[in-house]
Amino acid sequence: MRQDPLIRALGFLGLKGRPVVRSLLLGVGGALSALGLAALSAWLITRAWQMPPVLFLSVAITAVRALGISRGLFRYLERLATHDLALGAMASARERVYIALASGSPAYSVTLRRGDLLTRTGDDIDEIGNALIRGIIPIGVGLTTSVAAVVIMALVSVWAALVLGAALIVSGVVAPWLAARGASRSIADASSATTQSAEATTTALWHAPELVVARRRPVVLDAASDADRDALAAADRGLRWQAAAAAATPLSLGASLLAACMIGIHLASQVSGSLADVSSGHGLTPMILGVLILLPLSAFESTAPLTEAGIQIETSRQSAARVMALVDAAGTDPDAGGDASVHFGPVALDLDRMRWGWSGSEALGPVSGLDRTLPAGSRLAVVGPSGSGKSTLLLTLAGLLAPQSGSVSYSGSGAESVEPRSAATYFAEDAHIFSTSIRENLRVARGDASEGEMTSALDRVGLWAWVTGLPDGLDTVLAGGSDAISGGQRRRLLLARALLQRAPVVLLDEPTEHLDADDADPLMRQILDPADGLFGPDRTVVVVTHQLPDGTGADVVDLAAVGV
């Protein structure tokens, strides 16, 4: 039997029983204090009406004060405990998702849209945490309080307890279930629209200069606005169901109070004499009548939030399904990431009638496929316009995408087969610059790189003079990440990462973009020089670029010439 995704996700959060029970007990304590306060207040008001000696009321007065204080105290402590539990669980969940993606199959990670990844690691995990704050704890508190209210009411009148129990079931079970079922479609639609909005927004933010140059910025902004409107429309559709379900609580409360009044009238009709005459005897007393009328008012305080709790549980269930699908699809790959997986030694690259492309899209490359054998230490330049599939080709060579047809294989010096992800490292055009020190940004490529190796790499790419002029040198923090440096400095820093990485095959995506021609051409020649260049004679280098300077001596694949 397939496990509910929300239950799986809560287990994924690493929740422990004791903190959950503590939060639940604090919530129950606050709700029972409110229930006891209502019952005792009803007794005190009606007993005081009879004007007994004040000492007869002193214990009740003190108890009312104690219950009033404990009600607020328990609720405050419950909020602290529940939010601390949920926030800790959400932080743990994000850490586990990142570990799953980092240690799982890179071929899956690169297929994720940024909007999907942002939504699943952001909003969806928040919604799973909200299942605790707005769903599970309120449901547990409501159930406990409802049972206690029915038991107390049964001591007064069995019939009144039956009516109250039925009304609480309608308010606390039927209404939330209907609201959740009715809103499930709108929740899914709102989530899809939110993902599209996040995708358009991140595109507008991260690619603003390119969009302005291409005059595509208004189109992306319009897409974000349309997605926001779709999300609001989906939420509005759910609000109609929520409003209808929310009406069940006041209707149930009214029915319960009406029934309590009728039962009180019936009990009063069975008593002879005035209420004052029987206040110390059997039958209906003013105190019992007060409890009969006022107890439901407090009981329904705990079921009123359950309509929202039902919708929250459904929202969290759908979010959990998306997060767990992300984790499941990532799979596990013990060889992914880290320097330990790098194959040391020369590696040859062989392309056999290979065509490439994203799954479900048209294959790219020559109709007959790309045939190419690159011995260790070779240099290959892939030239073509934007959209011709250059980056997709690199992803395929890195083993992050499967070829559409043909094959790509790596072999060591002894002709043994080598896994692509052990032999090749892909350095993306839009690789991230983190808001931390230059030193830590370089360690992204290799965590054990020494300061001398970092200095050498920066010097070879032309950045060391700039670094020495900074206040803290290698420890200077790049506040804002890539916004703290120019486009050319960013390219050189990414190239320094590639020099520090030890993979025998280096795949570079537009390494000289944003550099002027006077700097870009000499740097490209150094990258593609197999003898005295940046990467030395033992490492194979594949570069994709829009333009190739003269005199590189590299093997060239022109995607425009082969009809891609």
Side-chain angles (χ1 to χ4, degrees):
M1 185 175 180
R2 189 174 182 181
Q3 191 177 20
D4 186 278
L6 182 56
I7 296 176
R8 282 192 65 203
L10 291 175
F12 187 74
L13 296 181
L15 293 175
K16 297 181 180 179
R18 182 174 296 179
V20 176
V21 171
R22 181 170 61 246
S23 298
L24 182 59
L25 289 179
L26 288 171
V28 168
L32 291 181
S33 294
L35 194 64
L37 181 62
L40 187 57
S41 297
W43 183 91
L44 182 61
I45 292 170
T46 51
R47 185 72 177 96
W49 168 71
Q50 296 175 327
M51 294 182 293
V54 69
L55 291 178
F56 286 18
L57 305 177
S58 59
V59 174
I61 293 171
T62 303
V64 166
R65 289 176 178 174
L67 288 172
I69 294 172
S70 65
R71 174 190 180 186
L73 180 61
F74 276 127
R75 288 185 173 178
Y76 176 70
L77 293 176
E78 181 264 328
R79 294 294 189 276
L80 288 180
T82 304
H83 282 74
D84 179 67
L85 175 66
L87 291 173
M90 287 187 282
S92 176
R94 287 192 174 92
E95 179 183 0
R96 294 186 178 199
V97 169
Y98 296 150
I99 291 174
L101 291 173
S103 60
S105 170
Y108 172 69
S109 299
V110 298
T111 63
L112 291 172
R113 295 187 305 171
R114 286 174 175 169
D116 278 334
L117 190 59
L118 185 63
T119 302
R120 294 186 192 189
T121 57
D123 292 344
D124 282 341
I125 289 180
D126 285 346
E127 292 298 346
I128 296 174
N130 286 337
L132 284 171
I133 301 172
R134 301 175 184 172
I136 295 173
I137 299 300
I139 288 173
V141 171
L143 176 63
T144 306
T145 308
S146 297
V147 171
V150 172
V151 170
I152 295 173
M153 186 66 83
L155 299 176
V156 178
S157 169
V158 174
W159 289 108
L162 291 175
V163 173
L164 178 61
L168 289 173
I169 290 174
V170 172
S171 173
V173 178
V174 177
W177 180 77
L178 289 175
R181 288 293 300 270
S184 61
R185 182 66 262 168
S186 67
I187 292 170
D189 292 343
S191 175
S192 176
T194 300
T195 299
Q196 294 173 9
S197 176
E199 180 71 22
T201 302
T202 53
T203 300
L205 291 174
W206 294 345
H207 298 286
E210 296 94 325
L211 292 172
V212 170
V213 172
R215 298 183 181 179
R216 296 278 299 170
R217 187 168 177 267
V219 176
V220 175
L221 294 179
D222 288 343
S225 298
D226 291 342
D228 285 339
R229 282 193 291 270
D230 290 342
L232 291 174
D236 288 343
R237 289 195 296 273
L239 287 176
R240 288 195 289 269
W241 285 91
Q242 185 177 354
T249 294
L251 292 175
S252 299
L253 174 59
S256 179
L257 287 175
L258 181 60
C261 292
M262 295 178 65
I263 292 170
I265 293 172
H266 174 71
L267 292 176
S269 66
Q270 296 178 343
V271 179
S272 59
S274 68
L275 290 176
D277 292 335
V278 298
S279 60
S280 60
H282 300 287
L284 182 68
T285 66
M287 290 75 73
I288 291 177
L289 181 61
V291 172
L292 196 67
I293 300 300
L294 295 182
L295 186 63
L297 293 175
S298 181
F300 278 92
E301 283 187 18
S302 63
T303 62
L306 296 191
T307 297
E308 181 182 348
I311 295 175
Q312 181 61 59
I313 290 294
E314 179 61 29
T315 303
S316 299
R317 178 177 288 111
Q318 294 190 22
S319 295
R322 290 187 290 271
V323 171
M324 298 314 299
L326 180 72
V327 173
D328 293 341
T332 57
D333 186 354
D335 291 331
D339 230 22
S341 65
V342 174
H343 176 86
F344 295 101
V347 170
L349 170 61
D350 182 61
L351 308 180
D352 183 15
R353 297 189 300 276
M354 190 194 77
R355 302 193 76 196
W356 60 93
W358 293 93
S359 178
S361 65
E362 184 179 354
L364 302 173
V367 175
S368 59
L370 186 61
D371 279 297
R372 194 76 48 149
T373 298
L374 299 177
S378 299
R379 299 293 186 266
L380 175 66
V382 181
V383 183
S386 297
S388 59
K390 302 188 301 298
S391 299
T392 309
L393 172 59
L394 288 189
L395 290 171
T396 307
L397 296 181
L400 301 177
L401 289 178
Q404 292 277 39
S405 63
S407 64
V408 53
S409 60
Y410 291 85
S411 57
S413 56
E416 74 278 9
S417 178
V418 180
E419 283 292 323
R421 292 197 296 275
S422 296
T425 301
Y426 169 60
F427 291 90
E429 176 187 3
D430 56 353
H432 194 68
I433 300 296
F434 295 90
S435 296
T436 183
S437 67
I438 297 174
R439 184 189 306 275
E440 294 304 317
N441 267 288
L442 291 173
R443 282 180 173 163
V444 170
R446 206 179 94 230
D448 63 350
S450 67
E451 183 160 346
E453 289 174 318
M454 295 183 195
T455 301
S456 174
L458 291 170
D459 184 49
R460 292 164 68 190
V461 300
L463 274 186
W464 182 241
W466 168 69
V467 172
T468 55
L470 296 174
D472 299 316
L474 282 173
D475 294 315
T476 301
V477 175
L478 302 179
S482 58
D483 291 337
I485 54 180
S486 68
Q489 290 169 335
R490 177 175 178 272
R491 291 293 173 181
R492 293 179 188 271
L493 186 58
L494 295 177
L495 192 56
R497 283 183 185 172
L499 290 177
L500 290 172
Q501 234 286 343
R502 290 174 175 168
V505 178
V506 181
L507 309 172
L508 300 174
D509 194 349
E510 301 286 1
T512 60
E513 192 173 356
H514 297 300
L515 294 173
D516 57 55
D518 292 339
D519 291 330
D521 290 351
L523 185 59
M524 182 64 79
R525 291 189 183 96
Q526 283 187 289
I527 292 171
L528 295 175
D529 186 347
D532 301 320
L534 290 177
F535 292 94
D538 295 328
R539 302 180 75 181
T540 301
V541 179
V542 180
V543 174
V544 300
T545 182
H546 290 98
Q547 263 183 311
L548 190 65
D550 297 330
T552 61
D555 192 8
V556 179
V557 173
D558 189 343
L559 295 183
V562 298
V564 175

